[in-house]
Amino acid sequence: MPSYTPSPSPSLSASPAPAPARLDVAADLLALLRDTRTEPRPDPQLEALTLAVSADLPVLLWGEPGIGKTAALTQLADTLDLPLTTVIASVHEPSDFSGLPVIGDDPAEQGVPLAPPDWAVRLVRQGRGLLFLDELSTATPAVQAALLRLVLERRIGSLRLPADVRIVAAANPRASAADGWELSAPLANRFVHLQWAHDHEVVIRGLGGTWPRAVLPRLDPALLPGAVDRARRAVCGLLTARPALVHRLPGTETRRGGAWPSPRSWDMALSLIAFATAAGSDRDVLSLLVRGTVGDGSGLELLAWLDRMDLPDPELLLADPVHAELPERGDRRQATLEGVVEVVKSLLTEDRWNAAWALLVRAMETGAPDLVVVPATTLAALRREDWDVPEAIERLAGVVSMSRRADRSMARAAKERTGAGR
Amino acid sequence: MSGEASTGGLELDREKLFAARLHAARVRPYLATALFALHPVESRRVPTMAVDRHWRCYVSPAFVARTPVEELAGVWVHEVSHLLRDHHGRGDRVARARGLTGAADRLRINIAADCEINDDAYGDGLVPPEGVLTPQSLGLPEGKLMEDYLGRFRLEQWPNLMAAWLDCGSGADGLEREWDLGPDGAHGLSEQERDGIRFRVAQGITGRPGTAPKGWQRWADRALHPPQPWRELLGAAVRTATSGAGAGEDHSHGRPSRRSSALPGIVLPSLRRRPPRVTVVIDTSASVSDGELGSALLEVAAITRAVGGRRDLVSVVSCDAAARIAHPVCQAEGITLIGGGGTDLRTGFTVALRARPRPDVVVVLTDGQTPWPARRPDCRTVVGLFARPVRHVDEDDPDYVPDRPPDWARVVRIG
């Protein structure tokens, strides 16, 4: 203040041009910096977010500040063609979410209406949109309480958000938030929890000028009925076999604020399987969604169940063993072959028995032979006395000799142990 | 690859390699899923057998040719163990945490990982390969984890180690090898698929207890229910307790907002700051180690300050046996130490609740060998329970079982 000189400096009055010109150069530099390219790149976490939002389930993104949650939401809003409204929860008061009490002329007669904030009114007027509630975990408890009513009941004061408004919230991980907040178990159970992490490689490439452009999932109308059927079969099948998984409140302190299985979250998982199936998403995306809904343990069991459900149908394989497509992965291939032997055993005819041998030959010729040994042994034991030995068995001679080799090796290993010396 | 194979001379003896895998799967049925999920890749650059984090197993044809089937079976189990135990992920994490950057450090990680596997991998149908590394051969105790072994030996101590060492690849220590096919190569498993296999193997082990050795059962328990760090648990509990309604910073309609005068007719809440008062009750027998108690007390003080409590709002009620530990810690931290209680936890509670103004939260640090107050106190209670593997036996009353902490307290197991 004391050093202020009221008269313009001589250099400025002599040439007024440099000031805007300098900013022009700065603008050029900024334009160069902003001139980045994008490249398509699969992004499972963004895909999972898109599917959960499409399924109209409240999503909670857990992630450190500054790792691109807002950027992801912007891209998501673009893709879904929804206007994005971002509300930073921590700078608001509870009344911004629950409505401001406005006292009229005669409160006793007319009551006290709760006036909604402007963004909510706009959102209702638009009829659709993506509402992003950022920094949920640093807001005061009263604000959080008001927000949760908004998320779960979709009400702001006297307003009700239209059905086409989708809500996503973001919170900092409990460990890193100094003034962090714990979700209570019932509230946690209503969210799809997605962990948001940055990909080192993507960040480096992005700073170098090329940001990823995720190709987001599209629901295929033709797949819808099949997707619902698959989702129902998966969840009902698993819960029939494992009734204990239906409801399991987490026992430890830190897990209560995360995903855990209950009829409500299984219902959410069912929707998400249907959405992921209809979108043709891969297993990684489904895994993020399912584990973020019913928790890690139950989620992994469900995925294992789906894995088994997705194995090729043994009856179809038996119908055309020579052209059968067997899974590539060894453990799944073995499970498939054992499934085939199982169905042959349940309805034993010579034709089916022969077809199974043909299938084992096919398996040996297209993959690792050791997988065939156990199914072949079981199948051989099913033979009825009057059945001819199929030709196919000769082509499995290599498998038999390999099995014997393993037997001899096991015998040597056993001798080694008892023989001591080492 | 096929061109290389035709000029390389020696063909990979697939039958031998797979006979060995069959042997391995028969003697370790609980690992069969994982063994069959491994995808073998013939490679002339790998010295023996090595895995990458995408569950490919690189195999040297020459190594297969010169190694007996029964030893190859052991190598299969060894390699799949690296993957199941997530040595690459843990190797990466430990390297980052301890600043281990060189190739020699990765070699040490590989050796430490080998020690973790080999102490109970062999025997019972599996023959240890020639020159196998065991904790015993390095003069180290058995049954530890890779992270423990890592700090316990130095390469210079064992100049002839290199000859004996098997390079287990990037799957064992997280360092990419020149033969790795990378994430985009064929037959790699995605992270979720890897988790799925690990989960299924662990489930198989816990589902049939008694068939797998102790080390694998411990692994399976951890894979299904990973241990929770007590600092985070205690932090979460204290934070929840101190930031609940009635304490901390919150909005309330109790006093009108300063903006109210500008907006007649509208009732605005105001932001009120009421830092939580926390009293820590230390009730402990001499069995609690000083280090444990000191660090737990410091942890509670740090958490409380982080949620807005001032130093003068944290106080400690100490029982006689613990005063010796609590005093110095409180002095150093500027925490008030109020009166000594008895040897009974209930006295500690009484002292804590008698204070005026009353605390918002009582944190109790105890080993649980104590009676509890009959009714719920008027404030939130967090119990930090020190783990005591051996139960205290009272000679006068051998059937005495200590009461469990009551339901109204949030309980966190420490240590």
Side-chain angles (χ1 to χ4, degrees):
Chain A
M1 195 80 119
S3 62
Y4 177 65
T5 33
S7 62
S9 67
S11 67
L12 205 69
S13 59
S15 54
R22 268 195 210 169
L23 273 187
D24 282 349
V25 178
D28 289 347
L29 182 54
L30 279 176
L32 271 180
L33 279 170
R34 281 174 196 153
D35 181 26
T36 53
R37 291 179 304 119
T38 59
E39 60 184 358
R41 185 190 166 94
D43 184 343
Q45 55 183 12
L46 193 52
E47 198 173 334
L49 173 64
T50 311
L51 287 174
V53 167
S54 312
D56 198 14
L57 297 172
V59 181
L60 186 52
L61 300 180
W62 292 99
E64 308 285 346
I67 54 165
K69 292 190 291 264
T70 310
L73 262 291
T74 310
Q75 192 177 19
L76 177 65
D78 270 357
T79 314
L80 298 176
D81 194 22
L82 291 173
L84 177 67
T85 307
T86 302
V87 178
I88 312 265
S90 53
V91 299
H92 282 267
E93 300 197 331
S95 48
D96 292 344
F97 303 109
S98 58
L100 273 169
V102 182
I103 299 174
D105 293 338
D106 190 358
E109 186 64 33
Q110 294 171 353
V112 179
L114 296 170
D118 62 335
W119 55 262
V121 175
R122 269 203 306 276
L123 211 51
V124 170
R125 204 170 294 151
Q126 282 164 343
R128 47 202 286 283
L130 182 62
L131 176 58
F132 179 38
L133 303 168
D134 204 358
E135 297 190 26
L136 202 61
S137 49
T138 43
T140 62
V143 168
Q144 287 167 6
L147 271 176
L148 288 163
R149 180 153 179 269
L150 160 61
V151 171
L152 304 172
E153 296 172 30
R154 311 176 68 96
R155 296 193 78 96
I156 311 170
S158 49
L159 272 189
R160 195 176 174 83
L161 289 180
D164 277 346
V165 172
R166 302 292 157 93
I167 304 172
V168 178
N172 296 332
R174 280 146 288 179
S176 75
D179 43 358
W181 149 72
E182 277 287 285
L183 235 60
S184 71
L187 288 176
N189 197 234
R190 289 171 159 93
F191 281 105
V192 179
H193 302 254
L194 292 181
Q195 305 296 329
W196 209 259
H198 70 272
D199 184 337
H200 183 74
E201 206 179 302
V202 167
V203 172
I204 302 286
R205 240 184 115 57
L207 294 174
T210 311
W211 288 101
R213 170 166 32 87
V215 184
L216 292 177
R218 252 168 214 291
L219 301 176
D220 181 347
L223 295 179
L224 300 187
V228 173
D229 176 57
R230 176 166 182 261
R232 292 209 166 120
R233 268 192 303 135
V235 173
C236 297
L238 174 68
L239 294 184
T240 309
R242 298 286 320 274
L245 289 183
V246 172
H247 190 273
R248 193 181 268 176
L249 192 67
T252 62
E253 197 67 38
T254 47
R255 280 163 195 243
R256 280 181 206 211
W260 55 276
S262 78
R264 185 207 326 270
S265 53
W266 281 114
D267 186 44
M268 290 163 53
L270 198 152
S271 305
L272 290 170
I273 297 173
F275 270 80
T277 309
S281 297
D282 66 16
R283 191 46 63 91
D284 285 11
V285 175
L286 185 62
S287 170
L288 289 176
L289 288 170
V290 165
R291 290 163 75 173
T293 309
V294 293
D296 277 346
S298 313
L300 283 165
E301 291 216 26
L302 180 63
L303 292 167
W305 187 271
L306 271 167
D307 235 2
R308 226 166 306 154
M309 246 175 63
D310 290 345
L311 292 178
D313 183 351
E315 295 295 348
L316 291 181
L317 293 177
L318 282 174
D320 186 10
V322 184
H323 300 101
E325 288 281 342
L326 292 164
E328 284 278 343
R329 225 174 81 192
D331 56 325
R332 307 191 68 215
R333 176 176 282 234
Q334 163 128 45
T336 307
L337 295 178
E338 283 177 358
V340 167
V341 174
E342 211 48 46
V343 299
V344 169
K345 192 177 175 182
S346 66
L347 178 63
L348 194 56
T349 67
E350 189 170 3
D351 283 346
R352 287 162 69 84
W353 189 68
N354 281 325
W357 282 115
L359 194 67
L360 291 186
V361 169
R362 168 104 182 137
M364 193 200 67
E365 285 167 354
T366 56
D370 54 338
L371 305 173
V372 182
V373 172
V374 175
T377 318
T378 322
L379 197 61
L382 294 179
R383 177 171 173 250
R384 298 263 166 85
E385 273 174 29
D386 53 334
W387 290 352
D388 293 330
V389 175
E391 280 172 48
I393 286 188
E394 276 174 38
R395 288 158 72 189
L396 287 172
V399 169
V400 176
S401 76
M402 191 185 62
S403 175
R404 290 210 183 106
R405 201 166 172 181
D407 287 339
R408 286 196 301 274
S409 155
M410 284 165 70
R412 280 197 301 275
K415 208 192 286 169
E416 182 111 12
R417 212 187 94 208
T418 50
R422 260 176 201 265
Chain B
M1 187 66 79
S2 58
E4 207 183 336
S6 59
T7 53
L10 207 55
E11 284 283 327
L12 174 64
D13 187 344
R14 283 168 58 87
E15 197 202 285
K16 187 172 178 183
L17 184 67
F18 287 123
R21 180 159 78 169
L22 198 56
H23 172 167
R26 281 180 184 167
V27 295
R28 299 284 185 273
Y30 48 89
L31 299 183
T33 304
L35 284 167
F36 290 140
L38 265 183
H39 184 81
V41 177
E42 182 177 342
S43 169
R44 273 154 219 289
R45 276 177 288 180
V46 41
T48 54
M49 261 166 86
V51 282
D52 70 9
R53 62 178 71 219
H54 308 285
W55 286 64
R56 298 188 197 93
C57 183
Y58 303 90
V59 187
S60 148
F63 175 68
V64 172
R66 68 170 184 262
T67 311
V69 183
E70 59 270 31
E71 285 186 21
L72 277 177
V75 178
W76 271 109
V77 169
H78 178 93
E79 298 298 337
V80 86
S81 302
H82 277 307
L83 296 174
L84 283 171
R85 288 164 184 253
D86 190 26
H87 279 152
H88 47 93
R90 286 163 58 196
D92 278 348
R93 281 194 289 278
V94 79
R96 226 177 296 135
R98 302 190 192 173
L100 309 174
T101 48
D105 289 323
R106 291 293 180 163
L107 175 61
R108 276 175 48 222
I109 292 177
N110 195 155
I111 292 172
D114 282 356
C115 285
E116 178 187 317
I117 293 172
N118 287 348
D119 57 3
D120 62 359
Y122 299 106
D124 230 355
L126 284 184
V127 185
E130 203 64 50
V132 68
L133 262 179
T134 58
Q136 217 180 2
S137 67
L138 293 179
L140 298 173
E142 293 194 349
K144 301 280 177 201
L145 295 178
M146 180 257 271
E147 289 83 352
D148 296 327
Y149 286 127
L150 196 53
R152 290 173 183 244
F153 66 91
R154 282 181 304 148
L155 291 178
E156 303 86 73
Q157 294 173 288
W158 310 96
N160 52 358
L161 205 56
M162 292 297 278
W165 174 56
L166 302 171
D167 185 350
C168 298
S170 56
D173 55 19
L175 184 73
E176 293 281 309
R177 302 296 202 276
E178 72 272 16
W179 58 75
D180 278 359
L181 295 179
D184 301 327
H187 302 297
L189 299 193
S190 75
E191 195 184 335
Q192 307 293 339
E193 287 179 303
R194 283 156 9 212
D195 279 357
I197 291 172
R198 238 180 251 135
F199 177 76
R200 239 171 300 165
V201 171
Q203 221 182 8
I205 291 173
T206 50
R208 276 172 307 220
T211 50
K214 278 258 159 29
W216 276 113
Q217 286 184 13
R218 265 202 311 275
W219 168 81
D221 284 341
R222 272 205 311 273
L224 291 179
H225 309 284
Q228 298 280 317
W230 68 262
R231 275 166 212 282
E232 278 177 29
L233 291 171
L234 190 63
V238 173
R239 245 182 250 128
T240 312
T242 49
S243 62
E249 197 175 27
D250 203 357
H251 288 94
S252 121
H253 284 276
R255 199 188 297 166
S257 162
R258 284 186 297 176
R259 264 158 57 187
S260 293
S261 58
L263 299 162
I266 295 177
V267 184
L268 290 170
S270 66
L271 193 62
R272 248 177 103 239
R273 190 173 171 77
R274 205 171 84 73
R277 290 173 186 280
V278 179
T279 301
V280 186
V281 178
I282 306 176
D283 172 86
T284 161
S285 48
S287 59
V288 175
S289 87
D290 296 9
E292 264 179 340
L293 188 55
S295 65
L297 182 54
L298 278 181
E299 195 68 21
V300 172
I303 294 159
T304 317
R305 276 204 295 280
V307 295
R310 300 190 307 262
R311 273 178 189 222
D312 56 308
L313 298 178
V314 184
S315 46
V316 174
V317 176
S318 154
C319 295
D320 296 334
R324 158 178 70 79
I325 306 150
H327 249 302
V329 174
C330 293
Q331 255 170 5
E333 285 290 298
I335 299 169
T336 351
L337 187 69
I338 50 172
T343 46
D344 187 336
L345 178 67
R346 289 173 297 191
T347 331
F349 263 103
T350 316
V351 173
L353 297 171
R354 215 168 37 210
R356 290 288 174 273
R358 275 226 312 273
D360 298 300
V361 182
V362 172
V363 179
V364 187
L365 301 176
T366 174
D367 61 359
Q369 321 275 351
T370 173
W372 295 89
R375 55 173 275 278
R376 178 186 199 130
D378 302 342
C379 63
R380 296 187 174 89
T381 312
V382 175
V383 176
L385 200 62
F386 292 103
R388 285 290 155 264
V390 186
R391 222 178 52 210
H392 168 80
V393 180
D394 188 340
E395 284 181 11
D396 299 329
D397 182 8
D399 298 329
Y400 167 76
V401 178
D403 293 336
R404 290 157 55 93
D407 293 337
W408 39 260
R410 303 184 79 123
V411 182
V412 175
R413 283 171 202 286
I414 295 178

